[in-house]
Structures are given as structure tokens and as C-alpha cells.
Amino acid sequence: MPAGGGTKARARQEAQRARILEAARKCFSEQGFHGAGMSAIAKEAGMSQGLIYRYFTNKAAIIQAITEEQRARRTEDLCAIATFDDLVERLMGKLRRWRAGDLQDDIFDPALFLEISAESSRDPEVAAMVSEQEKEIWADFAAIVRRDAESRGQALDDEALRCRTMALRCLVDGVITACVRDPRLDCDQVQASLRRVLRQLGGG
């Protein structure tokens, strides 16, 4: 096969795989992992179940691919955040876009975040995937705490870094959960409150 043909075939395969994952994210977010079977994913993707099985052996493999994709994007996003104010702006911007249904090319989905968290308490395979990512997530949050402290001219000891990282992670996860559970929650009020609390956390 000519080199060009191989490149086109790989591009087609990548496009098909992305299409499957996009359909799965939508189904899982709307129906939950148990409610969304392979037939529902196939219907949403506009392809046969047989074709999906050429790319993913089962639903667990699709979930793993989604979590790995989210991990890579999350790390990229968090590494670009220099201060707590930056974090608040980025987080609330994503939540507003999610509520408006305007995700564009962003794979951030708070409802899916909660679904994965819930499934990890029921499915050992999903729990292992989530657990494997936790060290990296904590490291990313700790890096934000360090950068924010540096922007304020502060030097943190290990205990202060640990405490601030724990508080930051709990606040961020809590805001995501609250915004999903209560669609009436005012994002402007949440943003102002979160900014104020994080400034206090950072000693500002």
C-alpha cells in the first residue's frame, strides 16, 4: 500500500475512534454507565456495534479511553494555570459553557465526572483506572498551589502545601458537584465566593 494510503487509513481510524468516544461520552453523561449499552453508543455514533467492537473490546475499554483522554486534557489545562484566580476563571468558564451546551472541542463534562466517580465505587475495574490517576491529579493541584504562592512571594513548607492542596481539591470537586446537582445555582455568586475563599486560602 502506498504511504499516502496508510496515512489516510490511520486518519480514518482515528476519526472513527473519536466518533465512538464522543458518542459514548454523550450516552454515559445522559444515561449513566449502566443505562448506556453498546447498542445505544452505536446508535448515537451512527455505526454498527460490530464496527465499534473493532476499536474497543467492551464498554470498560471505552470508559478507560475516555478517562485517559480526560487525564491528558486535564493535565494540559492545569499546567496552564498560574494562580487561584486563573483557576476560578477557567473552572467557572467551563461550567458556564457546559450549562449552555457549548462545549465545542472541550471534553470537560461535569455530569460525566460525577458518573465516573460513582461508578468507581461499584466497579473494581473503573476504580483501578481512577485510582491510577489520583497521584497525577494531586500533583497537578499541588503545582497550582506552589505557583500561586510564588506569585504572592510566599515560600510554603510541606505541611502548608499539603493542607492548601487538600482544601483546593475539595473546593474544586465540590463546586463541580454543586453546579451539576443544582442547575439553579448562580454561577456568578459561586465564582465570587470561590475567588474570595481561595484568596483567603492563599493568604491574600
Side-chain angles (χ1 to χ4, degrees):
M1 177 184 293
T7 300
K8 288 181 179 179
R10 282 193 298 273
R12 188 164 53 249
Q13 290 171 356
E14 289 174 4
Q16 291 279 61
R17 188 175 185 277
R19 185 173 161 191
I20 294 167
L21 292 180
E22 177 61 27
R25 279 194 295 269
K26 188 173 188 298
C27 290
F28 291 153
S29 179
E30 294 177 351
Q31 304 171 35
F33 289 136
H34 293 288
M38 294 296 270
S39 60
I41 295 171
K43 183 178 180 180
E44 180 65 31
M47 60 181 65
S48 69
Q49 290 188 57
L51 181 57
I52 290 179
Y53 282 119
R54 288 179 56 186
Y55 293 89
F56 300 98
T57 55
N58 52 35
K59 192 160 65 172
I62 294 178
I63 295 172
Q64 182 172 7
I66 289 173
T67 58
E68 289 177 351
E69 188 178 51
Q70 288 181 329
R71 175 173 58 179
R73 182 67 65 87
R74 180 180 56 245
T75 296
E76 180 182 333
D77 284 347
L78 293 180
C79 285
I81 294 171
T83 66
F84 289 165
D85 279 348
D86 290 345
L87 175 62
V88 173
E89 290 292 332
R90 188 176 291 258
L91 174 63
M92 297 311 300
K94 285 177 176 289
L95 285 168
R96 287 189 178 92
R97 288 194 298 276
W98 172 74
R99 279 187 169 183
D102 182 26
L103 294 178
Q104 297 177 349
D105 63 343
D106 196 333
I107 63 173
F108 175 75
D109 186 334
L112 185 56
F113 162 79
L114 295 186
E115 184 63 31
I116 291 173
S117 298
E119 188 67 11
S120 68
S121 69
R122 299 186 292 259
D123 187 323
E125 193 170 357
V126 176
M129 296 175 200
V130 171
S131 178
E132 184 181 348
Q133 296 182 18
E134 280 301 299
K135 287 185 179 179
E136 183 177 310
I137 295 172
W138 282 107
D140 288 338
F141 273 88
I144 293 174
V145 171
R146 286 195 195 94
R147 291 194 293 271
D148 181 81
E150 289 170 358
S151 75
R152 303 170 191 270
Q154 299 174 353
L156 300 180
D157 58 27
D158 290 344
E159 180 62 12
L161 176 63
R162 185 190 68 79
C163 289
R164 289 191 189 185
T165 302
M166 177 71 74
L168 179 64
R169 176 77 187 278
C170 290
L171 282 168
V172 169
D173 285 3
V175 165
I176 294 172
T177 301
C179 286
V180 172
R181 293 181 64 178
D182 186 359
R184 298 167 301 176
L185 201 61
D186 188 318
C187 283
D188 290 340
Q189 290 182 355
V190 172
Q191 181 166 337
S193 299
L194 185 58
R195 182 182 288 117
R196 182 173 181 180
V197 170
L198 287 178
R199 283 176 179 168
Q200 292 175 342
L201 177 66

